Amino acid sequence: MTTAVIDRTQILCEGLVRIYKRKGVEVVALQGLDLHVGSGELVAIVGASGSGKSTLLNILSGLDSPSAGRALVAGHDLLAMRRAERRQYRLRTCGFVWQRSTDNLVPYLSAVENVDLPQRLAGRGRVERRERSEGLLEQLHIEDTADRRPSQMSGGQQQRLAIAVAMANEPQVLFCDEPTGELDTAESHEVYGALQRMNETNGTTVVVVTHDPTVTAEVRRTVAIRDGRTASETLRRTPGVDGEHIVAEEFAVLDRAGRLQLPADFVSALGLRQRVRLELADDHIQIWPEEAQPLAVPDVAPAGRHRGGLAGVEEA
Ligand code: ADP
Ligand code: MG
């Protein structure tokens, strides 16, 4: 029943809930999160610390199970996966770059040995392994560090090596948790460039989570997560022929029940509270503060009257 969806949608989360219980206290880390990522997309998920980003990646990587909801990745139903399937999923279907850099690399192995290791676990032959490792180090511009240990590499080089390790078994999906968290701006830019190359050259679907809002400038699609839910999206496109102009458009995320979260700055600009007036126009919906008159059509309303029309939610 879901095959047609999976063909185009490589990652599908619907109503994901994750509740942690510790010493009798419940923390709702994800509260009905929806996410669709198409095959071959590069998506950044951005949100404040504690918004549920790592929780989401732990679920998508098969390390943790949600309390409720649906999660499908590359045809695997993450809630129904048995042990053997989970192992194959983690070894071959997905690659991961974890938030703590020490989790990504084996300190006493050289760069090339680090990339070799997951391929050995997957049972690849020696010649194929070497070819793949050298190719990846080259693709990530760290071929000169092949014989160095991680501690002899810069932070940016270590993160690119972590990407090479994650890509070793040609995963369909690459998940990265704060891959630039400990890097300066130039190094971060290099890491995003590396992720873009993995995405474009190998067709790998890439999902990056970060608290850094400037990631919007590095990827085409950014999904904002707030309080364990996807709240809005920014799509960046390069219009015209000059290729220099970058336009970013903001979208709100509509869940299956029709719920929508308005951007906080829109809400405060109009002092929206508790109830708002809604009106359906031909091709969009308008929203006013409760006390405002909804009948005024913005372009014929007296000056100052239709301020509320600014909050009209344009259809995506
Ligand atoms: P982010 O990665 O966006 O910073 P997390 O997914 O790590 O957010 O955490 C989301 C919320 O869940 C936070 O309130 C955090 O304290 C809580 N949380 C995360 N992991 C656990 C855990 N193992 N036990 C209890 N609470 C947790
Ligand atoms: Mg985190």
Side-chain angles (χ1 to χ4, degrees):
M1 109 222 127
T2 49
T3 5
V5 178
I6 293 167
D7 281 347
R8 287 171 289 117
T9 304
Q10 196 155 46
I11 302 172
L12 172 77
C13 298
E14 272 177 358
L16 265 196
V17 175
R18 178 66 171 99
I19 301 171
Y20 293 110
K21 290 193 185 109
R22 196 188 270 169
K23 293 180 188 154
V25 180
E26 289 192 351
V27 177
V28 187
L30 297 180
Q31 35 188 326
L33 180 135
D34 295 317
L35 178 71
H36 290 221
V37 179
S39 185
E41 264 197 276
L42 163 61
V43 181
I45 298 177
V46 65
S49 172
S51 58
K53 304 182 297 294
S54 294
T55 301
L56 173 64
L57 278 206
N58 286 342
I59 291 172
L60 290 178
S61 63
L63 270 185
D64 187 22
S65 295
S67 314
R70 229 153 72 95
L72 300 166
V73 179
H76 296 269
D77 181 343
L78 302 191
L79 281 86
M81 245 181 345
R82 299 278 172 88
R83 210 160 140 186
E85 185 185 351
R86 191 173 295 269
R87 184 169 182 277
Q88 288 305 316
Y89 174 77
R90 293 178 44 77
L91 191 59
R92 296 169 201 273
T93 311
C94 304
F96 320 99
V97 174
W98 300 112
Q99 182 161 4
R100 290 195 319 201
S101 48
T102 46
D103 290 344
N104 295 313
L105 304 172
V106 181
Y108 55 83
L109 294 181
S110 69
V112 73
E113 287 166 346
N114 265 285
V115 188
D116 188 71
L117 185 61
Q119 300 182 76
R120 271 162 68 171
L121 293 175
R124 289 182 176 225
R126 181 191 285 266
V127 178
E128 189 193 0
R129 292 199 318 256
R130 170 167 303 182
E131 218 166 85
R132 176 94 187 135
S133 301
E134 287 174 357
L136 275 167
L137 294 183
E138 233 166 78
Q139 223 185 345
L140 291 155
H141 304 162
I142 44 173
E143 64 272 31
D144 295 346
T145 66
D147 298 322
R148 286 191 217 158
R149 289 183 179 188
S151 61
Q152 298 167 314
M153 300 169 71
S154 73
Q157 288 170 337
Q158 285 180 26
Q159 283 308 71
R160 280 179 283 151
L161 176 58
I163 295 170
V165 172
M167 291 294 295
N169 289 325
E170 297 171 274
Q172 295 177 54
V173 189
L174 175 62
F175 295 116
C176 308
D177 196 349
E178 307 272 6
T180 61
E182 292 159 16
L183 305 182
D184 64 28
T185 314
E187 286 179 324
S188 298
H189 189 66
E190 270 175 14
V191 166
Y192 285 121
L195 291 174
Q196 265 152 14
R197 283 199 298 287
M198 296 299 107
N199 173 248
E200 282 164 16
T201 318
N202 309 334
T204 315
T205 306
V206 180
V207 177
V208 186
V209 309
T210 175
H211 69 278
D212 177 10
T214 64
V215 70
T216 308
E218 303 277 2
V219 299
R220 205 186 78 83
R221 180 179 173 209
T222 309
V223 177
I225 146 169
R226 207 171 293 137
D227 302 330
R229 250 191 221 143
T230 39
S232 64
E233 291 203 8
T234 306
L235 293 183
R236 194 170 54 83
R237 61 191 163 84
T238 318
V241 283
D242 58 32
E244 306 234 312
H245 238 69
I246 289 171
V247 173
E249 281 185 295
E250 278 238 25
F251 295 86
V253 177
L254 193 64
D255 77 7
R256 277 199 304 170
R259 278 181 297 246
L260 181 76
Q261 185 166 12
L262 297 173
D265 48 338
F266 285 23
V267 170
S268 64
L270 300 174
L272 302 179
R273 270 184 302 122
Q274 288 185 347
R275 266 195 304 231
V276 293
R277 276 185 210 279
L278 288 181
E279 195 177 295
L280 180 64
D282 283 347
D283 61 350
H284 66 280
I285 297 165
Q286 308 193 72
I287 299 178
W288 289 265
E290 185 180 6
E291 62 278 9
Q293 288 289 329
L295 295 175
V297 177
D299 54 26
V300 299
R305 172 93 172 280
H306 66 269
R307 252 178 8 110
L310 290 175
V313 177
E314 303 291 336
E315 278 236 19

